[in-house]
């Protein structure tokens, strides 16, 4: 995939069009703009993560945290998409940016989804009840994104797989006491 | 501060020069380029964090984690610098980017520094010995950056202060068992 090799700023619409076998005009007509196209790629990454996540987002409570421990491996396999995600997110932090609403909604949805898995664990008596599931969901996503950024920057010095395991196992110990 | 109000892409050298009372030529002569100037601002943020961090980076072991629980408050006070940091970091993930070596070195140094505080806690018998301090240090910085990004994006929905407290308290419970 082009983004994975060159980063998104180096990726011209003409190259993208060639890669997917469409004309440049046809591709832009379909997505409206380069930014819309890039956001579609980011959204597709979430859809794919959710789909694997039969694996990740299916199981609830303790089992979710067991599966989450292995989540770093998938990120390593798809590093180029993770980099595109980071750049677009950083550019969209300001409310005036065109992709701002997309990312606000994306993170709200992800936090709610993770919180639901934790709440189910609380209701089944697998996880403690004295933590706020939304606060913990934000923390889980934060660790995931922050560690991915460190790994993208310096893969020789950061062990993404070990980091996810260590965090998820510690969290499971703490929340299931 | 200008960055805090407008984000860094909206900040022209002329505006920066006016803000600090120098000519544009004088400012560029001093720093060499706009990018060098922005990186100097990011580095200064770390220096300031370390200085407060008599508070944060002084104490070792359990006490470090107690202080870290309150770290979100300082980020809320200096949100504009955090945004500048996120944008420059995301742009510098690729090895070919001019600021790449700066960020690689910055994160290596921060991970080592946090790891030392954890090792001291292990040696004093305050923290368990069966975790890798460098892996845990990467996790601590990851949570901090990832949660800050969510908060910058959507301050109405993300409680940065509660997130730092919840994470640091859970980590302290887990590492001191």
């Amino acid at each position: 995939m082009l983004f994975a090799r060159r980063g998104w700023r180096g990726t011209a619409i003409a190259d993208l069009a060639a890669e997917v076998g469409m004309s440049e005009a046809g591709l832009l007509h379909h997505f409206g703009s380069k930014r819309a196209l890039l956001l579609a790629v980011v959204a597709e990454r979430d859809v794919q993560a959710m789909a694997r996540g039969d694996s990740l987002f299916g199981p609830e409570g303790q089992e979710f945290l067991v599966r989450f421990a292995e989540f770093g491996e998938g990120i390593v396999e798809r590093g180029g998409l993770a980099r595109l995600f980071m750049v677009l997110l950083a550019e969209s932090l300001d409310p005036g940016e065109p992709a701002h609403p997309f990312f606000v909604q994306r993170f709200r949805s992800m936090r709610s989804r993770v919180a639901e898995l934790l709440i189910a664990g609380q209701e089944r008596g697998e996880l403690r009840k004295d933590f706020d599931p939304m606060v913990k969901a934000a923390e889980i996503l934060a660790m995931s994104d922050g560690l991915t950024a460190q790994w993208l920057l310096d893969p020789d010095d950061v062990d993404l797989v070990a980091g996810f395991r260590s965090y998820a196992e510690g969290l499971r110990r703490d929340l299931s006491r």
Side-chain angles (χ1 to χ4, degrees), chain A:
Chain A
M1 164 123 220
L2 255 149
F3 299 128
R5 294 197 305 273
R6 303 209 333 238
W8 85 277
R9 280 181 303 162
T11 305
I13 294 287
D15 297 328
L16 282 169
E19 177 132 323
V20 298
M22 291 174 71
S23 71
E24 190 173 339
L27 196 65
L28 275 176
H29 177 73
H30 187 68
F31 283 99
S33 69
K34 180 174 177 183
R35 184 169 294 268
L37 172 57
L38 295 175
L39 289 179
V41 171
V42 169
E44 176 63 20
R45 172 176 174 253
D46 284 343
V47 168
Q48 287 177 11
M50 298 284 180
R52 285 192 309 278
D54 277 67
S55 76
L56 182 64
F57 287 96
E60 302 170 330
Q62 284 220 37
E63 181 62 17
F64 162 66
L65 294 172
V66 170
R67 301 281 182 92
F68 184 68
E70 308 306 318
F71 199 53
E73 294 171 22
I75 295 175
V76 170
E77 287 170 19
R78 291 172 296 280
L81 283 183
R83 186 166 51 200
L84 173 67
F85 173 83
M86 293 293 166
V87 173
L88 289 176
L89 168 61
E91 287 197 346
S92 305
L93 293 174
D94 282 339
E97 296 292 332
H100 184 78
F102 168 85
F103 279 103
V104 167
Q105 199 48 53
R106 186 263 180 197
F107 274 98
R108 287 188 182 184
S109 161
M110 294 287 275
R111 284 192 294 267
S112 294
R113 195 137 181 189
V114 172
E116 279 167 21
L117 303 175
L118 298 174
I119 291 167
Q122 290 177 317
E123 287 171 351
R124 300 201 310 217
E126 288 177 10
L127 304 180
R128 290 195 282 111
K129 288 189 164 48
D130 63 343
F131 68 88
D132 183 329
M134 283 299 276
V135 169
K136 218 33 116 171
E139 173 192 312
I140 289 169
L141 296 170
M143 201 292 305
S144 177
D145 291 336
L147 197 62
T148 301
Q150 285 183 56
W151 169 76
L152 287 167
L153 183 71
D154 191 3
D156 294 338
D157 204 59
V158 175
D159 188 335
L160 188 66
V161 171
F164 268 81
R165 284 205 187 119
S166 172
Y167 170 72
E169 286 165 10
L171 188 59
R172 188 159 66 90
R173 274 192 302 270
D174 182 49
L175 295 187
S176 57
R177 291 195 320 159

